Amino acid sequence: METIIIETEGQNLEKIKAFLKEMNISFKSKIKKEKPYNPEFVKMVLEASKSNERRVLDDNYKKELFG
């Protein structure tokens, strides 16, 4: 036996399922749930990208960050 993994959705998924049923091929359908981003993290990143307080990584800033 060989396993084939097909990742698709919508009409293509329905056509593939119908084809497999027509061919009498057993299959398992598994819905892949994607984890949403943490809203607080997204907010923090968006605010940081809008910030005008960008600093160049000069020697003084390196010392401030890394000691």
Side-chain angles (χ1 to χ4, degrees):
M1 180 166 70
E2 189 172 348
T3 301
I4 299 173
I5 298 173
I6 300 171
E7 294 181 1
T8 188
E9 58 189 2
Q11 286 184 330
N12 287 339
L13 177 61
E14 296 307 316
K15 289 177 185 177
I16 291 169
K17 284 182 179 180
F19 174 75
L20 293 174
K21 286 178 186 175
E22 186 74 25
M23 298 292 294
N24 292 324
I25 298 173
S26 65
F27 64 92
K28 295 178 185 175
S29 182
K30 181 179 175 184
I31 297 173
K32 187 176 180 182
K33 294 182 182 179
E34 294 185 25
K35 296 179 183 177
Y37 291 111
N38 179 337
E40 290 299 317
F41 176 74
V42 172
K43 182 179 176 183
M44 182 182 69
V45 170
L46 291 174
E47 286 175 0
S49 70
K50 293 177 184 176
S51 174
N52 290 331
E53 296 180 23
R54 304 227 177 222
R55 293 184 65 178
V56 177
L57 194 59
D58 60 7
D59 288 336
N60 290 334
Y61 191 45
K62 287 179 190 175
K63 288 177 187 175
E64 184 180 322
L65 286 174
F66 306 111

